[in-house]
Amino acid sequence: TVQESPLILSGRRRRRQGTAMSVQSPSRGARVMAGLKRVGSSLSLASPHKVVTPLDWPCVIAIQCTSMISILSTTYVFSTAVFMVRAWGATDEAKAAAHAGLMIAAKPAFSAISSYWWGSAGDRLGFRGTLLVSSMVTAWLTAALGLVTSFPAAVAVRALSGLFDGVMTLTRSSMAKISDKTNSAKAFSTFGVTYGLGSTIGPTLSAVLAYPCGGDPNARGGDDAKGLVFPRQCPSRYAREYPFALSSGWVLVAAAFLWGYAYAFLRVDEAAGEPLGVEDKGDVEKAYPGGGPGDVEMTTRGDGVRGDD
């Protein structure tokens, strides 16, 4: 046999040692890839066992009941504002449009001014009490608008209604307190439903109930025009003297039922003291016996990613 040179033997010996070391100690890239595979495996195993916190639907509906009071108070006047200012003496078309726009805008403008104060009051005093007080005062001021007989008084009432209406600020904070990242999308989607219903029902009913005994000067027949509510006989002279009392007062009647439900089921402050994201610790233990699936530890020291399955 041909005797190999010492250089060839030493080269083979170094290659064998390098192979053994690479088997015993994988490179950093291999460790990172192995860790990422374990993370992916853990996530795929976790998805069938994802814990979604159940929503407290009676409380969600109670929050939206107070929200509905605010929406009705804001939007009901959209269909009657022009007729109101005309009844108060704004006969010119441009003047009537300007007065109607100012009266409509007074409430949301002053509501924006007071929104920060209402949010702070909710944090200090509790969201349940502030929501109930704000919605109740807003409903009463809404009904009062139907009894005013001048444009300045109407603007003042609408401005007061806006100052006391912190409902839109408080309801969103309340909804955030009773929901978490697993159900917040479903909880907050109810605001769109409430606004759609309120902005449809409010102006429609107010238009129907305005001038209940007739007498709209802008209608055919003028003072002899018949009303939609009482076309034959007017039950009271006050219905003619205050033709918008019924179109504003119905909001107070609706608010009484909405407020009653909210009073019974509004549990915002109770839910605020509970940890969010977990309905019951036992649910997690049942879903993940022995710990969460794939407890992953990410390190920044360059040691790779470690996952415990």
Side-chain angles (χ1 to χ4, degrees), residues 70-78 100-116 118 138 145 154-169 195:
S70 175
I71 294 169
L72 292 176
S73 173
T74 301
T75 62
Y76 86 98
V77 77
F78 288 175
L102 183 60
M103 187 179 68
I104 291 172
K107 182 178 185 292
F110 279 83
S111 180
I113 294 172
S114 64
S115 61
Y116 180 81
W118 279 109
T138 299
L145 183 64
V155 173
V157 171
R158 287 282 289 179
L160 280 175
S161 178
L163 284 175
F164 282 97
D165 188 357
V167 172
M168 300 313 293
T169 298
Y195 184 81

Side-chain angles (χ1 to χ4, degrees), residues 25-36 38 302-306:
S25 178
S27 64
R28 178 178 299 178
R31 291 200 302 273
V32 171
M33 292 302 297
L36 291 175
R38 287 195 293 270
D303 296 334
V305 183
R306 296 191 297 275

Side-chain angles (χ1 to χ4, degrees), residues 132-248:
L132 293 175
V133 170
S134 176
S135 57
M136 179 175 61
V137 175
T138 299
W140 278 103
L141 289 172
T142 300
L145 183 64
L147 302 178
V148 302
T149 57
S150 66
F151 171 69
V155 173
V157 171
R158 287 282 289 179
L160 280 175
S161 178
L163 284 175
F164 282 97
D165 188 357
V167 172
M168 300 313 293
T169 298
L170 296 169
T171 50
R172 280 159 176 76
S173 300
S174 300
M175 195 68 77
K177 286 183 174 294
I178 68 167
S179 62
D180 58 34
K181 63 181 180 180
T182 67
N183 55 24
S184 59
K186 187 182 296 184
F188 278 86
S189 66
T190 57
F191 282 104
V193 177
T194 305
Y195 184 81
L197 289 175
S199 59
T200 302
I201 296 172
T204 303
L205 273 182
S206 293
V208 171
L209 297 176
Y211 289 103
C213 296
D216 182 3
N218 302 289
R220 289 184 179 181
D223 294 338
D224 297 328
K226 295 181 179 180
L228 292 176
V229 181
F230 306 113
R232 296 183 178 180
Q233 184 178 1
C234 190
S236 173
R237 65 183 180 88
Y238 294 105
R240 284 191 177 273
E241 291 180 7
Y242 302 99
F244 303 102
L246 198 59
S247 66
S248 302

Side-chain angles (χ1 to χ4, degrees), residues 253-280:
V253 176
F257 293 96
L258 296 169
W259 193 91
Y261 184 92
Y263 182 84
F265 294 100
L266 196 59
R267 298 183 288 266
V268 178
D269 299 319
E270 299 174 9
E274 300 175 359
L276 298 179
V278 177
E279 179 72 13
D280 184 3

